[in-house]
Amino acid sequence: MERSFFERAHDVVRQVPRGRVATYGQVARLMGAPRCARQVGFAMHASPGVAGGMPCHRVVFADGSLAPGFAFGGPGEQRRMLESEGVAFLPDGRVDLARCAWEAGR
DNA sequence: CTTATGACTATGA
DNA sequence: TTCATAGCCATAA
């Protein structure tokens, strides 16, 4: 079975532990496509959702910003969900990558 | 084959 | 610091 780019992205995002966040570029690199951060984002959009085993809310921009136009029920909903998992936020409204950035194999 | 789109990232002003 | 633009590459038509 050939795994589409989507499925590979899903596979990597699924490995992100609770209370941790990963950047699109990081996910792309782990799946063997360091230049395909945008395609990862598109895969998230096309993902089955959190209920489908895809914690796409744990995937953020390289600077810790959350995805614009989010659709889990509202942008504030994603932040609430991440905080509920133990992710720290900065006063600017960005994720504290210095504390919650996910490292592969950990 | 080419063109258009996009939940990104890096760079410059 | 923030904002705008260019480059990147997979997928669809």
Side-chain angles (χ1 to χ4, degrees):
Chain A
M1 269 301 272
E2 292 183 18
R3 286 186 186 166
S4 298
F5 196 96
F6 282 26
E7 297 186 69
R8 289 189 245 180
H10 296 174
D11 192 40
V12 174
V13 174
R14 220 176 329 182
Q15 295 172 60
V16 181
R18 179 170 168 275
R20 243 26 175 244
V21 293
T23 67
Y24 293 94
Q26 173 126 24
V27 173
R29 197 171 99 77
L30 292 174
M31 69 194 295
R35 265 74 188 180
C36 297
R38 310 186 74 170
Q39 277 59 282
V40 173
F42 196 72
M44 297 298 100
H45 186 145
S47 73
V50 185
M54 257 271 286
C56 38
H57 57 274
R58 293 179 189 154
V59 186
V60 301
F61 280 16
D63 63 349
S65 306
L66 302 182
F70 204 68
F72 278 100
E77 196 63 22
Q78 181 178 10
R79 175 169 178 168
R80 194 177 72 82
M81 192 161 18
L82 290 171
E83 288 183 311
S84 181
E85 295 186 347
V87 176
F89 274 77
L90 296 175
D92 296 345
R94 299 177 187 173
V95 177
D96 187 355
L97 292 177
R99 277 186 14 125
C100 301
W102 173 53
E103 294 176 34
R106 187 175 178 187

